[in-house]
């Protein structure tokens, strides 16, 4: 049976990931060569990272070589496709990640309750398109339970919202 | 032995530890029912919180989550044809067929009782074998530990699903992440880039929550597929429907026995664990059955064997962790993280230095299995309701818990940002079809491997011949060589596919 699909090799998951990991291995190699590798007493702090870098470079180059040598890529190896059938929703992912990053950055500035509330409302209402009723119920219950379990019971010192505002 | 068990029960039967065992088992069952959120991600999320708890209580709860999840995954496998856990995938084959024939109760009952028997027997095996193995491991020196850890990493890489080359890359990346921080021998900083946060190294909780929790959330965020409709099966209403009759016991007792033994020993092997155990048990039962054509159509042996194997494997997996301090799978690596957070190193000396932790954990597993059978058999309908919680509501809640968990480690929002970076790594791993297990295991084993290797080379003045002079280390390294060489030899001597001049393959 002849496989009809032919895609550009450099768009494949194996080529891209192999190249990225090769670059990472190269970085580790350069950084480890700055450290002492060996002396009279034996291996020093640069020895093990050097070993790891060699393994990473070798394995990533082998992956890239095998991908290029195979000469063809099946559809589901393409980066932009999920399961070979549907395109991935990158804007949705980026929005989700941005809101999560915002939550992390605001956590100490405005406190846990305020930043958590903002995070949940933005995700549930604007990303997941839930109704206001469901969103507010989930926000109230989850923040209340989180506060009781993690702050009161486990004693986790989360940043406070109310003193910050005052 | 009896004295040790008495000590253990006196600790595990305390009200506090009973409560944590109950929490772990209940949470584990809930997690097992919910597809997508496994015991690995849950334990990863809770790991940082366990710092606030006593070590024994923390381990009891985390272990309860692990074996509770095996029970939970069975419920949805049988009733909804939806494996809640990867180790219960094989139960779908015959379990759901039994349910479609109106025998859901028998399937759930046999699975539940089989899991209880296997879990109890496995715990007994652990009680008997672990102390002896801990004594034997005192003979291990740095060369033996180095060889054993190399074997463990090799097995995880080669026995995992997916590409071996990609597993090697993940292993190398894990080893690299383990290097970050202060070198324990020379106290010099490595790969910290001037960051005070990184001087102490990467925290296992941050890495695990990022890769398994946030990474999974990112991966689900880009998918907008609808949940498929499934065949609905009538959930058993009365307790009597769940109790196997004499005929069911007659057909199941030997598969339960075989599954227990097989699962226990496969659980010990790194890279083995509950998944391989359940598949191996199913294959065994089908192979030795007098009527193998019944398998796939509702054979009770196809449920009894695998369900016993996956629960027994949990106990087997505890052995290398407790006796040698070497985790055999990702969950054990996280439990090792819990030990490390409390400044305790599992291994040969744990019986002498922390017998309360050792025996408290083991005896809690007897209790946990009892809790699970009492709780899950009547509570099946309640747990099944959980499946109706949409993942798009669950995801932000998981993210919230991860952020709290990451922040709680050092009360530093930089840890939260670091977790987000590892979330990106987790997304990369899922997106590019890599496996996270070698990454996490290598991250945990890496510092120990480096320490043993450097100790070995310092002791032998840089000579690798020391591995030839230590019989046990030599045997282990020969096994490693065979594991690596056999697939390569197969590849070299494999018949090449015929190709056209245009480079396409003809099958």
């Amino acid at each position: 049976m002849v496989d009809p699909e032919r895609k550009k090799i450099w768009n494949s998951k194996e080529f891209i990931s192999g190249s990225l990991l090769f670059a990472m291995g190269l970085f580790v190699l350069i950084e480890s060569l700055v450290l002492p590798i060996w002396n009279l007493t034996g291996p020093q702090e640069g020895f093990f990272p050097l070993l790891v870098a060699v393994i990473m470079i070798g394995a990533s180059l082998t992956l890239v070589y095998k991908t290029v040598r195979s000469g063809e890529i099946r559809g589901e190896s393409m980066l932009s496709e999920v399961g070979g059938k549907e395109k991935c929703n990158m804007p949705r992912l980026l929005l989700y990640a941005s809101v999560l990053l915002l939550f992390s950055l605001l956590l100490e500035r405005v406190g846990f309750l305020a930043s958590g509330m903002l995070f949940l409302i933005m995700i549930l209402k604007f990303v997941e398109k839930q109704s206001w009723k469901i969103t507010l119920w989930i926000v109230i219950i989850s923040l209340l339970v989180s506060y009781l379990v993690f702050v009161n019971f486990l004693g986790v010192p989360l940043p406070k919202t109310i003193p910050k505002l005052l | 032995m009896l004295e040790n068990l008495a000590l253990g029960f006196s600790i595990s039967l305390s009200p506090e530890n009973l409560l944590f065992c109950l929490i772990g088992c209940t949470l584990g069952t809930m997690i097992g029912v919910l597809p997508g959120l496994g015991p690995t991600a849950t334990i990863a999320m809770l790991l940082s919180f366990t710092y606030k708890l006593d070590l024994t209580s923390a381990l009891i709860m985390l272990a309860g989550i692990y074996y509770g999840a095996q029970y939970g995954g069975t419920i949805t496998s049988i009733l909804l044809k939806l494996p809640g856990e990867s180790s219960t995938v094989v139960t779908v084959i015959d379990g759901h067929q039994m349910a479609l024939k109106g025998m859901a109760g028998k399937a759930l009952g046999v699975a539940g009782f089989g899991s209880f028997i296997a879990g109890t027997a496995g715990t007994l095996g652990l009680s008997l074998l672990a102390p002896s193995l801990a004594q034997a491991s005192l003979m291990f020196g740095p060369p033996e530990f180095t060889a054993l850890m190399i074997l463990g990493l090799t097995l995880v890489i080669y026995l995992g699903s997916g590409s071996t080359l990609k597993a090697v890359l993940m292993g190398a990346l894990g080893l690299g992440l383990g290097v970050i921080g202060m070198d324990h021998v020379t106290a010099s900083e490595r790969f910290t880039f001037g960051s005070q946060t990184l001087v102490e190294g990467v925290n296992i909780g941050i890495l695990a929550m990022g890769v398994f929790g946030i990474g999974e959330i990112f991966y689900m965020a880009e998918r907008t597929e609808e949940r498929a409709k499934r065949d609905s099966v009538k959930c058993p209403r009365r307790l009597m429907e769940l109790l196997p009759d004499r005929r069911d016991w007659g057909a199941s007792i030997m598969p339960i026995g075989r599954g227990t033994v097989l699962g226990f020993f496969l659980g010990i092997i790194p890279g083995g664990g509950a998944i391989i155990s359940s598949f191996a048990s199913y294959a065994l039962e089908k192979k030795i059955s007098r009527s193998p054509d019944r398998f796939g159509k509702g054979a009770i042996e196809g449920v009894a064997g695998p369900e016993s194997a996956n629960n027994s494997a949990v106990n087997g997996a505890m052995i290398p962790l407790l006796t040698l301090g070497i985790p055999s799978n990702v969950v054990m690596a996280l439990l090792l993280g819990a030990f490390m957070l409390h400044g305790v190193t599992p291994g040969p000396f744990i019986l002498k230095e922390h017998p309360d932790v050792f025996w408290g954990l083991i005896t809690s597993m007897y209790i946990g299995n009892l809790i699970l059978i009492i709780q899950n058999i009547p509570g099946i309908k309640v747990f099944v309701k959980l499946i109706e919680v949409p993942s798009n509501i669950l995801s932000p809640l998981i993210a919230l818990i991860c952020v709290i968990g990451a922040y709680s480690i050092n009360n530093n929002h930089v840890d939260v940002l670091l977790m987000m970076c590892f979330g990106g790594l987790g997304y990369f791993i899922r997106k590019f079809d890599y496996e996270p297990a070698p990454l996490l295991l290598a991250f945990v084993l890496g510092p120990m491997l480096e320490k043993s290797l450097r100790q070995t080379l310092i002791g032998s003045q840089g000579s690798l011949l020391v591995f030839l002079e230590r019989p046990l280390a030599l045997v282990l390294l020969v096994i490693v060589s065979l594991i690596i060489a056999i697939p390569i030899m197969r590849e070299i001597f494999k018949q090449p596919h015929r190709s056209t001049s245009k480079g396409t393959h003809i099958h």
Side-chain angles (χ1 to χ4, degrees), chain A residues 1 6 13-14 17 24 31 41 45 48 52 79 82 89 92-93 96 100 104 108 128 150 156-157 159, chain B residues 166 172-173 186 188 190-191 218 221-223 392 395 407 411 413 416 431-434 502 505 507:
Chain A
M1 187 170 72
R6 292 181 67 90
K13 289 178 182 179
E14 281 72 26
S17 62
M24 200 177 292
E31 287 293 316
T41 57
E45 58 264 33
F48 199 72
V52 169
L79 187 60
V82 172
N89 195 336
R92 189 166 182 272
L93 166 62
Y96 215 113
L100 197 48
S104 311
E108 280 189 336
E128 302 294 357
F150 297 115
V156 178
Chain B
K166 286 181 170 181
L173 186 58
T186 62
S188 53
R190 295 186 298 187
F191 300 91
F218 285 164
E222 69 165 17
R223 299 167 74 113
N392 54 3
S395 291
Y407 187 83
N411 302 333
H413 78 285
V416 181
K431 189 71 181 172
F432 288 86
D433 301 331
Y434 284 78
K502 290 182 183 177
H505 292 297
H507 301 279

Side-chain angles (χ1 to χ4, degrees), chain B residues 210-224:
Chain B
V211 169
F212 292 104
I214 303 297
E216 184 66 25
I217 287 167
F218 285 164
Y219 188 72
M220 289 200 289
E222 69 165 17
R223 299 167 74 113
T224 51

